[in-house]
């Protein structure tokens, strides 16, 4: 039974449509949350939720991408194939989680922004940019980079050239930009709560 579950999960992660399979239900759930909760929530609570979402997203991405991965890569008890599969699955699962959190983040921000503008407030482009960048990077990773890196990982597992592809370096750069955007967004919304 565990082998079937592992194969089922791996098949889901390797499916190029898996991002859409996560996105569609996430959007549907977010529409319900928007109508039932976010429209009735106070501006201060929306600000709190935005701070929490971006802090959680920041911490999860920083931990899985930059703290844990360098710790398990030098493990002597794992073969190179196991390390490759583990890393591939971790980043695919992280991306699926980030798709759902990104939908939540964008919807909360749109509702928050609408409330600010309705009360003759101003939302600077800097804040809008640091909100949109992580979600856009997640989409780019799901559509282009992860399928390409999954293909390269399979080639390496079957005896292909084990060198890092350029796409992997770009992926790391995008992860860095995403973490930076999430940190800035979380700090900005957190600071708004102290005023």
């Amino acid at each position: 039974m565990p082998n079937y579950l592992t194969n089922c999960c791996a098949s889901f992660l390797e499916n190029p449509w898996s991002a859409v399979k996560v996105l569609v239900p996430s959007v549907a759930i977010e529409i319900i949350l928007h109508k039932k909760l976010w429209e009735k929530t106070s501006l201060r609570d929306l600000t709190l939720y935005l701070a929490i979402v971006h802090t959680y997203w920041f911490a999860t991405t920083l931990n899985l991408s930059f703290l844990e991965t360098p710790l398990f890569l030098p493990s002597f008890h794992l073969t190179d194939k196991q390390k490759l599969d583990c890393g591939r699955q971790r980043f695919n699962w992280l991306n699926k989680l980030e798709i759902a959190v990104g939908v939540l983040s964008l919807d909360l921000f749109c509702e928050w922004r609408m409330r600010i503008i309705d009360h003759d407030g101003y939302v600077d482009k800097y804040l809008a940019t640091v909100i949109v960048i992580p979600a856009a990077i997640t989409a780019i990773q799901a559509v282009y980079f992860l399928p390409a890196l999954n293909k390269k990982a399979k080639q390496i597992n079957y005896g292909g050239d084990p060198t890092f592809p350029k796409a992997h370096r770009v992926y790391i750069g995008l992860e860095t930009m995403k973490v930076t955007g999430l940190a800035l967004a979380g700090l900005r919304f957190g600071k708004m709560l102290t005023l």
Side-chain angles (χ1 to χ4, degrees):
M1 184 70 177
N3 192 18
Y4 169 75
L5 182 61
T6 302
N7 290 336
C8 181
C9 291
S11 296
F12 172 75
L13 292 175
E14 292 172 6
N15 185 337
W17 290 98
S18 62
V20 175
K21 291 177 182 178
V22 172
L23 178 65
V24 171
S26 297
V27 169
I29 291 168
E30 195 56 40
I31 289 170
I32 295 167
L33 286 173
H34 185 89
K35 295 291 181 190
K36 299 282 184 186
L37 291 174
W38 307 147
E39 289 179 348
K40 300 172 187 169
T41 303
S42 70
L43 184 61
R44 181 160 179 80
D45 286 347
L46 285 174
T47 307
L48 174 65
Y49 299 153
L50 281 162
I52 291 170
V53 164
H54 287 93
T55 302
Y56 167 78
W57 193 358
F58 165 77
T60 303
T61 304
L62 179 70
N63 182 44
L64 290 175
S65 295
F66 296 105
L67 300 178
E68 283 185 7
T69 300
L71 291 177
F72 88 79
L73 284 178
S75 299
F76 297 112
H77 66 284
L78 295 175
T79 66
D80 288 342
K81 183 177 178 177
Q82 289 171 327
K83 291 176 190 177
L84 191 64
D85 283 342
C86 183
R88 182 176 49 84
Q89 289 192 11
R90 287 166 57 97
F91 286 105
N92 278 287
W93 276 117
L94 177 62
N95 183 260
K96 303 314 174 262
L97 175 67
E98 287 178 331
I99 289 170
V101 174
V103 169
L104 173 65
S105 167
L106 290 175
D107 186 40
L108 282 171
F109 179 71
C110 288
E111 180 65 27
W112 180 86
R113 183 179 180 275
M114 185 179 72
R115 299 262 188 94
I116 296 289
I117 291 172
D118 285 349
H119 291 93
D120 297 324
Y122 172 75
V123 178
D124 63 353
K125 290 181 177 154
Y126 171 77
L127 182 59
T129 302
V130 297
I131 295 295
V132 171
I133 283 177
I137 288 173
T138 299
I140 292 167
Q141 288 172 333
V143 170
Y144 178 73
F145 286 101
L146 285 173
L149 291 172
N150 286 338
K151 184 178 177 182
K152 179 65 176 176
K154 281 185 173 182
Q155 289 173 351
I156 292 171
N157 277 340
Y158 293 116
D161 181 23
T163 59
F164 277 99
K166 290 180 185 176
H168 189 263
R169 290 182 179 91
V170 174
Y171 188 93
I172 293 168
L174 289 173
E175 280 291 289
T176 304
M177 288 173 53
K178 185 192 317 179
V179 166
T180 303
L182 292 168
L184 294 172
L187 288 170
R188 289 288 300 267
F189 286 114
K191 185 177 179 184
M192 288 178 202
L193 291 170
T194 62
L195 301 176

